[in-house]
Amino acid sequence: MLLQLPKILEPFQEKVQATQQSTIRIHPKATPPVHLWQSKIGGKPYWPKDSDYPQNSAGKPLFFLAQFNFAETPRLEGFPEKGILQFFILNDDTYGLNFDAPGDNENYRVVYHSDPLLSAENLESDFAFLPDFHEDTPIPPGATFALDFSLEAEWLGPPDYQFDMVYPEVFLTQFGDEKDELMDFFYELGSKSSGHKLGGYAFFTQYDPRNAAKPMLLLFQLDSDSDIESMWGDMGIANFFIYPEDLKNLRFDRVLYNWDCS
């Protein structure tokens, strides 16, 4: 897929095109999921009866945010082809994030079930042991949404940390008075990386928390969205990042969680 470039950037078509990545766009539906093992945002998770439900060290159960059954999603290079991936966070005033140490997963968990049990009799259906999550959750505790997916292309733009490496200042300054027009184009590209998705480029309302010396991929992104009453602070956005080798090895215990807002 070719990207339509402004005229001043046409000589660099190959450079820009080389940043193309695929992402799985997540489209919440108005209808709730039917089965516990379906992909969903909110509601009750797929959870085997013989497994301990995620909680922090204080014994407080975590709030179920979303899950993805890869048997239902488009194929995305590097991501699992099967299994269920789940995201849990603490319902506190920071949504389980330690702003001083975002990699501290004391109050959030990412759980992967490699071989899901597709039989309701083996799954937890009575979640009465969970507290009444009535506040400090980014989506309403009682809401649940089945999901559709689409595989789409996107291109690098700010504020993704990779932007400064691909388009350093020495590259941008060569455009002189046309630099502002060029940056408008790149910021428009960057804005298109917002929304709910798996993989692809990350979006932020403030800055990218990743360390360029230790590259991490976007695993999952959940945006503020009035259609599902999702709200991260003041119209913010949440991201979960993973090291490429961890994703390859299906290791999800070192995921970096971040959310920010304007």
Side-chain angles (χ1 to χ4, degrees):
M1 180 178 178
L2 288 177
L3 180 64
Q4 185 66 40
L5 302 181
K7 191 172 184 60
I8 58 172
L9 203 52
E10 286 178 354
F12 301 95
Q13 175 85 47
E14 186 174 339
K15 182 180 182 69
V16 178
Q17 196 62 35
T19 70
Q20 180 177 324
Q21 287 191 8
S22 295
T23 184
I24 298 176
R25 286 282 172 182
I26 300 166
H27 308 286
K29 302 166 68 173
T31 54
V34 176
H35 302 294
L36 288 168
W37 52 83
Q38 279 183 252
S39 300
K40 68 182 78 172
I41 291 174
K44 303 303 182 188
Y46 164 96
W47 200 258
K49 288 181 176 179
D50 59 356
S51 298
D52 293 331
Y53 187 88
Q55 59 185 23
N56 66 6
S57 60
K60 188 169 183 179
L62 302 183
F63 176 72
F64 171 67
L65 193 61
Q67 72 183 27
F68 304 98
N69 186 332
F70 288 104
E72 302 170 351
T73 69
R75 178 76 182 98
L76 184 62
E77 184 176 359
F79 276 62
E81 297 185 34
K82 66 181 184 70
I84 294 176
L85 186 64
Q86 300 176 309
F87 298 83
F88 299 83
I89 61 174
L90 185 67
N91 67 308
D92 64 0
D93 58 1
T94 65
Y95 306 139
L97 177 61
N98 181 345
F99 284 103
D100 295 324
D104 174 12
N105 67 354
E106 161 66 12
N107 291 319
Y108 68 90
R109 296 285 187 280
V110 179
V111 179
Y112 179 64
H113 305 269
S114 58
D115 295 297
L117 305 169
L118 304 185
S119 172
E121 64 184 20
N122 297 313
L123 302 178
E124 186 64 67
S125 59
D126 182 4
F127 290 90
F129 62 90
L130 293 179
D132 181 15
F133 297 113
H134 62 281
E135 59 183 15
D136 295 327
T137 58
I139 56 176
T144 182
F145 304 91
L147 305 174
D148 283 332
F149 303 96
S150 61
L151 188 64
E152 300 182 13
E154 57 186 17
W155 292 265
L156 176 63
D160 192 295
Y161 78 95
Q162 299 167 88
F163 184 83
D164 292 336
M165 295 186 288
V166 176
Y167 305 109
E169 189 62 25
V170 66
F171 173 80
L172 299 173
T173 54
Q174 69 180 300
F175 295 93
D177 293 341
E178 296 178 302
K179 179 183 173 182
D180 287 346
E181 176 189 346
L182 183 67
M183 289 308 298
D184 286 344
F185 167 77
F186 280 130
Y187 275 109
E188 177 64 21
L189 276 188
S191 70
K192 292 178 180 177
S193 63
S194 61
H196 318 309
K197 59 185 186 172
L198 297 166
Y201 289 112
F203 184 79
F204 310 90
T205 63
Q206 295 189 26
Y207 63 90
D208 192 332
R210 290 174 288 180
N211 182 350
K214 297 181 178 180
M216 302 186 83
L217 306 173
L218 177 64
L219 182 61
F220 169 47
Q221 179 171 284
L222 184 64
D223 208 340
S224 292
D225 181 352
S226 60
D227 287 344
I228 61 172
E229 298 182 63
S230 170
M231 182 66 71
W232 296 90
D234 181 14
M235 293 301 292
I237 192 166
N239 328 91
F240 293 83
F241 301 103
I242 190 168
Y243 293 109
E245 64 270 25
D246 284 354
L247 182 57
K248 180 180 179 180
N249 295 321
L250 302 178
R251 175 182 175 179
F252 297 96
D253 60 334
R254 298 195 299 173
V255 168
L256 173 67
Y257 164 48
N258 176 78
W259 70 268
D260 60 24
C261 63
S262 56

